[in-house]
Amino acid sequence: MKKSALFVGALCALAFSIPSVAAAKNATVTVANQSEWEIHQFFLSPADTDKWGADQLSEEVIGTGENFKLTEIPCDTYDVKLVDEDGDECVVQAVDICGGKGTWTITSKELVACQVNSEGEEEEEGEGEGEEK
């Protein structure tokens, strides 16, 4: 299921803050976790597909105050799913990976807003036939 929230604003900032290299086919993104929660999983899915790729963190965790560098990410528009230490998920749609600066900062405010909005969407999807990503 795709979820969005005020967290979309943060990921829009990501879309404009990743290095732009016209000839490059891959991008590098530093994810800075300035939230109160560890990030345990980070998934990408090309926006035009319904399947998540592998966990970009593998066995890693982005602790509070820590950074993680995603490298060799093919330039594309992605949906992004973050899972924090409590298992809360945030999904942000249509993030352009090839534009702007190279750091994306995640804050507590954004994660809480995403969780609150995602819970409302889960209830709505439970009433109908929601598709899971």
Side-chain angles (χ1 to χ4, degrees), residues 2 11-12 15 45 47 76-80 92-97:
K2 293 192 175 190
L11 280 180
C12 286
S45 170
D76 201 348
T77 300
Y78 291 92
D79 295 336
V80 179
V92 182
Q93 300 173 354
V95 177
D96 180 5
I97 293 295

Side-chain angles (χ1 to χ4, degrees), residues 87-131:
D88 297 324
E89 295 182 6
C90 292
V91 175
V92 182
Q93 300 173 354
V95 177
D96 180 5
I97 293 295
C98 287
K101 299 178 191 167
T103 301
W104 170 41
T105 302
I106 302 166
T107 67
S108 295
K109 181 178 178 180
E110 293 157 347
L111 288 178
V112 169
C114 182
Q115 178 186 359
V116 168
N117 287 342
S118 295
E119 288 173 356
E121 288 181 16
E122 285 177 8
E123 290 173 12
E124 290 174 18
E125 288 180 5
E127 296 171 8
E129 291 188 30
E131 289 186 24

